[in-house]
Amino acid sequence: MRFIPAKKIISNYSNTNDRWFGHNYNMNIYKGCCHGCIYCDSRSDCYHIDNFDEIRAKVNTLSIIERDLKSKRKTGVIATGSMSDPYNPYEKEYRLTRGALELINSHRLYGLLYKMEDIIKGYTLGYGNTQLSLFD
């Protein structure tokens, strides 16, 4: 895996009434995916992602996410993994998704994950009536 530069990781606010998937923000920590799922829309040429099968992470991911979160004025749902798998094989070593979810929790925004069967193993963040479970 290699690291690529990024200016921003969490998108600008979007009203959920205008969205199909019910989230206000989008976050892609990684670029590309190694699974090769035939149904994956992210592999489409319309997104212009060269070498989609090669996983890349953003340089200074957690620092950028911290800065992005501090700039948010509206609480909302953050979706991750729309253009990559947030729990690809490199996550076990780099733990960027885990770190991002810890930051999201500390800023009292909600995290929403896609295709996560391993998420309930071992680690829980929570406040109030909300709990967010992460694998260990």
Side-chain angles (χ1 to χ4, degrees), residues 95-111:
R95 303 166 77 92
L96 299 175
T97 300
R98 180 189 188 109
L101 293 175
E102 290 172 348
L103 288 170
I104 290 166
N105 187 62
S106 72
H107 285 269
R108 300 208 176 263
L109 293 170
Y110 300 106

Side-chain angles (χ1 to χ4, degrees), residues 33 46 91 136:
C33 185
C46 72
E91 176 62 18
D136 211 7

Side-chain angles (χ1 to χ4, degrees), residues 9-105:
I9 294 178
I10 300 177
S11 68
N12 291 330
Y13 184 85
S14 178
N15 188 332
T16 56
N17 295 333
D18 300 333
R19 305 294 297 240
W20 283 22
F21 301 109
H23 61 275
N24 308 102
Y25 300 100
N26 197 28
M27 173 179 72
N28 282 295
I29 295 167
Y30 296 97
K31 186 174 186 177
C33 185
C34 63
H35 299 302
C37 302
I38 196 162
Y39 61 82
C40 181
D41 178 60
S42 299
R43 302 175 70 77
S44 173
D45 289 338
C46 72
Y47 295 111
H48 307 289
I49 300 175
D50 294 329
N51 304 317
F52 188 79
D53 294 332
E54 175 193 355
I55 299 172
R56 290 143 288 189
K58 316 271 173 72
V59 176
N60 299 321
T61 297
L62 299 179
S63 300
I64 295 170
I65 291 171
E66 177 74 26
R67 186 194 66 219
D68 288 351
L69 288 169
K70 285 180 180 178
S71 73
K72 301 304 178 201
R73 298 294 169 243
K74 294 183 180 180
T75 300
V77 176
I78 300 174
T80 188
S82 61
M83 296 295 288
S84 63
D85 178 9
Y87 285 95
N88 63 66
Y90 294 104
E91 176 62 18
K92 208 166 205 162
E93 178 182 351
Y94 292 102
R95 303 166 77 92
L96 299 175
T97 300
R98 180 189 188 109
L101 293 175
E102 290 172 348
L103 288 170
I104 290 166
N105 187 62

